Amino acid sequence: MPHFETEAIRLSSAKSNQREHSSPIYLTSSFTFESAEEARQMFADEVEGNIYSRYSNPNTAELIQKVCAAEGAEDGITTASGMAAMFGSIAALLQQGDHILASRSLFGSTHQLLTKLFPKWGISSTYGDISDIGNWEKLVRPNTKMLFIETPSNPGLEIIDLEWAGQFATAHNLILVVDNCFATPYLQQPAKWGAHIVTHSATKYIDGQGRVLGGLILGHKKLIEEVTFFARHTGPSMSPFNAWILSKSMETLAIRMDRHCSNALAVAKYFQNSKDLEFVKYPFLPSHPQFHLAKKQMKYGGGIVTLTLKGGIYRAQKFIDNLQMISITPNLGDSRSIVTHPATTTHSKLSTEEREKVGITDGLIRISVGLEHQDDIIQDIEMALNKSR
Ligand SMILES: *Cc1c(COP(=O)(O)O)cnc(C)c1O
């Protein structure tokens, strides 16, 4: 089988009769039929082909093909955003009365889905702490149908043992869903460890340049059939334009991730003994509590580093205000380095107690380390740290 880089570059939709080298953008809502009979056959699924872009489109098909190859997944769908993927993976596969067991450290909006929205439709959930996986057995109920996890978590960078999760899901007959946004398929392939469904916010590293929103749901063919039915009739479709952008981005995912990871490791190492910081967290630093686990299931440590400043919210905000280059914006996985203060932004809807449980302290800063020269990134952080004293 060709290597990751080669497939991400060479898999493409069939050439049109114009013999183009780069895939064109198929901005069309619907596709024409040769005859009434062909229309009937395609609607009846007797013949394969594009009908309407809410169902499928050559650009979304190309992206799905590439990310499926990267993840080692059988099939998939694209969605308009990462949250549409998180929502769709749960809504399509569960029903009233079902229960979800989830890792506590979840993306902010995923937490809102589980605690505020799904309960409206009779789907309940329980959080497990990853420091206490020995106790998760007790959290499984007779109606538990799904195990939903995120690793590394946002922004706590907690690592969940995917091998353990795969075995746990099998033992309890649960659908294992893994949000693989932080790692990307280049660093980690949850399907290898038994994940039935892998979800992505393609907005982050898959786009990699902060341009478009997108999401993906990938996994076992049978489950994706149900997800596809749900998506066809509820309409969270990805625009062909966004799919074209994201498919182009897949061509450079490996080379970008190599640099994100080496820059992030350089930042983490440089600041790990700083007197201004309580802690520097990065999966591939030996001081990370799950360093060995990260090494086992990830190719490199990813592009996110967290710094815990001494001095709480005041110091954290002063630090951010003194950065000259690094952008203040909620995105991540961009070629430009980005700073976020989770306690007052992405995770401000959580109570102080909820934040504490997932390790989001007042002084925690999340840095999405970009592709600028590592010396310039380090210099910006060092200068802001000095000025925030
Ligand atoms: C950003 C993000 C999402 C949501 O994706 P959108 O594209 O913003 O809708 C979900 N999970 C994780 C881990 C994320 O970082």
mmCIF file of all heavy atoms in Angstrom, residues 296-318:
data_model
loop_
_atom_site.group_PDB
_atom_site.id
_atom_site.type_symbol
_atom_site.label_atom_id
_atom_site.label_comp_id
_atom_site.label_asym_id
_atom_site.label_seq_id
_atom_site.Cartn_x
_atom_site.Cartn_y
_atom_site.Cartn_z
ATOM 1 N N LYS A 296 3.395 5.694 22.773
ATOM 2 C CA LYS A 296 2.893 4.423 22.243
ATOM 3 C C LYS A 296 1.899 4.647 21.104
ATOM 4 O O LYS A 296 1.932 3.952 20.095
ATOM 5 C CB LYS A 296 2.224 3.638 23.382
ATOM 6 C CG LYS A 296 1.501 2.373 22.942
ATOM 7 C CD LYS A 296 0.811 1.697 24.128
ATOM 8 C CE LYS A 296 -0.405 0.930 23.686
ATOM 9 N NZ LYS A 296 -1.279 0.544 24.793
ATOM 10 N N GLN A 297 1.006 5.619 21.251
ATOM 11 C CA GLN A 297 -0.077 5.706 20.269
ATOM 12 C C GLN A 297 0.001 6.903 19.326
ATOM 13 O O GLN A 297 -0.795 7.011 18.402
ATOM 14 C CB GLN A 297 -1.441 5.641 20.959
ATOM 15 C CG GLN A 297 -1.740 6.782 21.913
ATOM 16 C CD GLN A 297 -2.956 6.501 22.773
ATOM 17 O OE1 GLN A 297 -3.225 5.375 23.142
ATOM 18 N NE2 GLN A 297 -3.721 7.533 23.090
ATOM 19 N N MET A 298 0.969 7.800 19.524
ATOM 20 C CA MET A 298 1.110 8.960 18.638
ATOM 21 C C MET A 298 2.486 8.964 17.975
ATOM 22 O O MET A 298 3.478 8.619 18.606
ATOM 23 C CB MET A 298 0.929 10.267 19.432
ATOM 24 C CG MET A 298 -0.467 10.468 19.989
ATOM 25 S SD MET A 298 -0.557 11.908 21.079
ATOM 26 C CE MET A 298 -0.491 13.256 19.878
ATOM 27 N N LYS A 299 2.511 9.395 16.717
ATOM 28 C CA LYS A 299 3.787 9.467 15.981
ATOM 29 C C LYS A 299 4.672 10.581 16.565
ATOM 30 O O LYS A 299 5.843 10.377 16.818
ATOM 31 C CB LYS A 299 3.467 9.745 14.505
ATOM 32 C CG LYS A 299 4.634 9.696 13.546
ATOM 33 C CD LYS A 299 4.114 9.999 12.127
ATOM 34 C CE LYS A 299 5.214 10.168 11.108
ATOM 35 N NZ LYS A 299 5.721 8.878 10.623
ATOM 36 N N TYR A 300 4.094 11.768 16.746
ATOM 37 C CA TYR A 300 4.760 12.878 17.434
ATOM 38 C C TYR A 300 3.754 13.498 18.407
ATOM 39 O O TYR A 300 2.594 13.079 18.447
ATOM 40 C CB TYR A 300 5.252 13.951 16.457
ATOM 41 C CG TYR A 300 6.137 13.419 15.344
ATOM 42 C CD1 TYR A 300 5.756 13.563 14.011
ATOM 43 C CD2 TYR A 300 7.335 12.775 15.635
ATOM 44 C CE1 TYR A 300 6.563 13.078 12.981
ATOM 45 C CE2 TYR A 300 8.144 12.283 14.609
ATOM 46 C CZ TYR A 300 7.750 12.431 13.295
ATOM 47 O OH TYR A 300 8.527 11.945 12.287
ATOM 48 N N GLY A 301 4.171 14.540 19.131
ATOM 49 C CA GLY A 301 3.359 15.058 20.233
ATOM 50 C C GLY A 301 2.251 16.034 19.874
ATOM 51 O O GLY A 301 1.526 16.494 20.741
ATOM 52 N N GLY A 302 2.121 16.407 18.582
ATOM 53 C CA GLY A 302 1.068 17.344 18.194
ATOM 54 C C GLY A 302 1.542 18.787 18.251
ATOM 55 O O GLY A 302 2.699 19.062 18.589
ATOM 56 N N GLY A 303 0.645 19.703 17.912
ATOM 57 C CA GLY A 303 1.025 21.112 17.777
ATOM 58 C C GLY A 303 0.579 22.009 18.916
ATOM 59 O O GLY A 303 0.713 23.227 18.828
ATOM 60 N N ILE A 304 0.011 21.413 19.969
ATOM 61 C CA ILE A 304 -0.517 22.240 21.061
ATOM 62 C C ILE A 304 0.342 22.087 22.315
ATOM 63 O O ILE A 304 0.682 20.972 22.709
ATOM 64 C CB ILE A 304 -1.964 21.825 21.417
ATOM 65 C CG1 ILE A 304 -2.862 21.796 20.173
ATOM 66 C CG2 ILE A 304 -2.543 22.743 22.507
ATOM 67 C CD1 ILE A 304 -3.229 23.132 19.589
ATOM 68 N N VAL A 305 0.671 23.222 22.911
ATOM 69 C CA VAL A 305 1.412 23.248 24.176
ATOM 70 C C VAL A 305 0.586 24.072 25.149
ATOM 71 O O VAL A 305 0.005 25.077 24.760
ATOM 72 C CB VAL A 305 2.791 23.943 23.987
ATOM 73 C CG1 VAL A 305 3.538 24.030 25.309
ATOM 74 C CG2 VAL A 305 3.627 23.218 22.947
ATOM 75 N N THR A 306 0.503 23.647 26.413
ATOM 76 C CA THR A 306 -0.128 24.533 27.392
ATOM 77 C C THR A 306 0.906 25.007 28.407
ATOM 78 O O THR A 306 1.796 24.257 28.811
ATOM 79 C CB THR A 306 -1.321 23.875 28.131
ATOM 80 O OG1 THR A 306 -0.851 22.765 28.882
ATOM 81 C CG2 THR A 306 -2.396 23.416 27.156
ATOM 82 N N LEU A 307 0.765 26.273 28.760
ATOM 83 C CA LEU A 307 1.645 26.893 29.753
ATOM 84 C C LEU A 307 0.763 27.312 30.914
ATOM 85 O O LEU A 307 -0.271 27.949 30.699
ATOM 86 C CB LEU A 307 2.306 28.158 29.187
ATOM 87 C CG LEU A 307 2.985 28.081 27.811
ATOM 88 C CD1 LEU A 307 3.483 29.468 27.399
ATOM 89 C CD2 LEU A 307 4.147 27.089 27.844
ATOM 90 N N THR A 308 1.119 26.953 32.137
ATOM 91 C CA THR A 308 0.372 27.441 33.288
ATOM 92 C C THR A 308 1.192 28.544 33.950
ATOM 93 O O THR A 308 2.264 28.291 34.507
ATOM 94 C CB THR A 308 0.075 26.305 34.281
ATOM 95 O OG1 THR A 308 -0.596 25.268 33.563
ATOM 96 C CG2 THR A 308 -0.823 26.790 35.412
ATOM 97 N N LEU A 309 0.684 29.772 33.825
ATOM 98 C CA LEU A 309 1.400 30.915 34.383
ATOM 99 C C LEU A 309 1.157 31.023 35.877
ATOM 100 O O LEU A 309 0.059 30.750 36.354
ATOM 101 C CB LEU A 309 0.931 32.221 33.705
ATOM 102 C CG LEU A 309 1.636 32.568 32.402
ATOM 103 C CD1 LEU A 309 1.140 31.692 31.268
ATOM 104 C CD2 LEU A 309 1.429 34.041 32.061
ATOM 105 N N LYS A 310 2.204 31.432 36.581
ATOM 106 C CA LYS A 310 2.026 31.751 38.004
ATOM 107 C C LYS A 310 1.303 33.092 38.055
ATOM 108 O O LYS A 310 1.715 34.035 37.386
ATOM 109 C CB LYS A 310 3.381 31.861 38.693
ATOM 110 C CG LYS A 310 4.095 30.525 38.811
ATOM 111 C CD LYS A 310 5.462 30.684 39.454
ATOM 112 C CE LYS A 310 6.152 29.326 39.538
ATOM 113 N NZ LYS A 310 7.594 29.458 39.783
ATOM 114 N N GLY A 311 0.220 33.186 38.816
ATOM 115 C CA GLY A 311 -0.418 34.496 38.938
ATOM 116 C C GLY A 311 -1.829 34.570 38.366
ATOM 117 O O GLY A 311 -2.382 35.655 38.261
ATOM 118 N N GLY A 312 -2.402 33.435 37.986
ATOM 119 C CA GLY A 312 -3.831 33.369 37.662
ATOM 120 C C GLY A 312 -4.283 34.196 36.469
ATOM 121 O O GLY A 312 -3.501 34.481 35.559
ATOM 122 N N ILE A 313 -5.563 34.567 36.495
ATOM 123 C CA ILE A 313 -6.191 35.239 35.355
ATOM 124 C C ILE A 313 -5.500 36.551 34.999
ATOM 125 O O ILE A 313 -5.225 36.845 33.831
ATOM 126 C CB ILE A 313 -7.703 35.507 35.622
ATOM 127 C CG1 ILE A 313 -8.457 34.183 35.635
ATOM 128 C CG2 ILE A 313 -8.294 36.446 34.571
ATOM 129 C CD1 ILE A 313 -9.956 34.301 35.678
ATOM 130 N N TYR A 314 -5.160 37.343 36.018
ATOM 131 C CA TYR A 314 -4.567 38.656 35.770
ATOM 132 C C TYR A 314 -3.272 38.522 34.973
ATOM 133 O O TYR A 314 -3.072 39.153 33.941
ATOM 134 C CB TYR A 314 -4.312 39.365 37.112
ATOM 135 C CG TYR A 314 -3.607 40.673 36.946
ATOM 136 C CD1 TYR A 314 -4.297 41.800 36.478
ATOM 137 C CD2 TYR A 314 -2.244 40.799 37.232
ATOM 138 C CE1 TYR A 314 -3.647 43.004 36.287
ATOM 139 C CE2 TYR A 314 -1.590 41.990 37.041
ATOM 140 C CZ TYR A 314 -2.283 43.094 36.572
ATOM 141 O OH TYR A 314 -1.638 44.273 36.376
ATOM 142 N N ARG A 315 -2.432 37.619 35.445
ATOM 143 C CA ARG A 315 -1.125 37.402 34.778
ATOM 144 C C ARG A 315 -1.334 36.818 33.371
ATOM 145 O O ARG A 315 -0.664 37.223 32.410
ATOM 146 C CB ARG A 315 -0.303 36.445 35.645
ATOM 147 C CG ARG A 315 1.058 36.102 35.062
ATOM 148 C CD ARG A 315 2.121 37.065 35.559
ATOM 149 N NE ARG A 315 3.364 36.952 34.803
ATOM 150 C CZ ARG A 315 4.383 36.168 35.139
ATOM 151 N NH1 ARG A 315 4.307 35.420 36.228
ATOM 152 N NH2 ARG A 315 5.478 36.138 34.403
ATOM 153 N N ALA A 316 -2.291 35.884 33.258
ATOM 154 C CA ALA A 316 -2.536 35.245 31.963
ATOM 155 C C ALA A 316 -2.978 36.280 30.933
ATOM 156 O O ALA A 316 -2.514 36.287 29.790
ATOM 157 C CB ALA A 316 -3.589 34.150 32.111
ATOM 158 N N GLN A 317 -3.864 37.181 31.353
ATOM 159 C CA GLN A 317 -4.356 38.190 30.416
ATOM 160 C C GLN A 317 -3.273 39.204 30.065
ATOM 161 O O GLN A 317 -3.162 39.655 28.927
ATOM 162 C CB GLN A 317 -5.608 38.867 30.981
ATOM 163 C CG GLN A 317 -6.789 37.880 31.015
ATOM 164 C CD GLN A 317 -8.112 38.516 31.378
ATOM 165 O OE1 GLN A 317 -8.157 39.402 32.222
ATOM 166 N NE2 GLN A 317 -9.190 38.058 30.767
ATOM 167 N N LYS A 318 -2.448 39.534 31.056
ATOM 168 C CA LYS A 318 -1.359 40.480 30.811
ATOM 169 C C LYS A 318 -0.345 39.867 29.827
ATOM 170 O O LYS A 318 0.164 40.541 28.933
ATOM 171 C CB LYS A 318 -0.675 40.828 32.142
ATOM 172 C CG LYS A 318 0.117 42.095 32.096
ATOM 173 C CD LYS A 318 0.501 42.590 33.478
ATOM 174 C CE LYS A 318 1.449 43.764 33.351
ATOM 175 N NZ LYS A 318 2.185 44.026 34.599
#
